[in-house]
Amino acid sequence: MKKISVVAAVIQHNDLYLCVRRGPAKYDYIANKWEFPGGKVEPEETKEDAIKREIQEELKMEIMISTFLMTVSHVYPDFHLTMDTFLCNTFSKDLTLTEHQDFLWLPKDKLSHLDWAAADKPIVSKLESL
């Protein structure tokens, strides 16, 4: 089974968290699902550099990494995903979507109301417990 390793940013502004919605995808089980933004780490790049680059590419946002949050390991039908997740902050909620179809800023008690990608659900649970 294919193994994919990625990083994700849980971006916080005041008491709100950024949620982004995928568009149509190769696999139906992740298409149109909500997720925390991020992507793959390039060779010779740290995870922290990768998350900053990915957020700049996908959302045209500047973020500050606060702390490592958790690693999620999830087996989808077609691949095994390992996702290192970082809690981040931003000075502004302004963003430009370049890859996602929608976004919301939500308080943590509303996060579980969205239809999340399976690998992101443990992150939502962790945030709700903080």
Side-chain angles (χ1 to χ4, degrees):
M1 178 174 282
K2 184 176 178 180
K3 293 185 178 190
I4 300 174
S5 201
V6 299
V7 290
V10 176
I11 303 171
Q12 188 176 9
H13 181 75
N14 297 328
D15 292 329
L16 301 176
Y17 293 87
L18 179 62
C19 314
V20 293
R21 194 165 133 219
R22 298 177 67 96
K26 178 179 177 181
Y27 303 116
D28 287 343
Y29 49 83
I30 57 173
N32 304 306
K33 299 285 187 180
W34 290 90
E35 66 181 2
F36 294 103
K40 294 183 178 131
V41 180
E42 299 290 338
E44 305 302 318
E45 189 176 46
T46 67
K47 291 175 183 179
E48 292 83 359
D49 287 343
I51 198 67
K52 288 180 179 181
R53 176 187 51 75
E54 285 286 347
I55 298 309
Q56 183 60 40
E57 289 173 3
E58 292 181 9
L59 303 171
K60 305 296 182 203
M61 273 184 110
E62 297 294 327
I63 60 167
M64 292 76 59
I65 298 172
S66 299
T67 187
F68 174 78
L69 184 64
M70 66 186 296
T71 298
V72 174
S73 180
H74 184 80
V75 179
Y76 282 109
D78 299 282
F79 60 96
H80 178 247
L81 182 75
T82 302
M83 182 164 54
D84 290 313
T85 309
F86 295 85
L87 192 57
C88 305
N89 290 291
T90 184
F91 290 118
S92 170
K93 292 193 314 183
D94 295 337
L95 58 90
T96 302
L97 295 177
T98 64
E99 295 185 20
H100 295 88
Q101 67 180 16
D102 201 3
F103 73 94
L104 291 170
W105 288 96
L106 294 176
K108 69 180 177 181
D109 64 337
K110 303 285 186 208
L111 294 175
S112 62
H113 297 178
L114 298 179
D115 184 17
W116 290 94
D120 290 80
K121 289 179 180 180
I123 302 165
V124 172
S125 294
K126 172 103 175 178
L127 291 172
E128 289 174 332
S129 72
L130 294 179

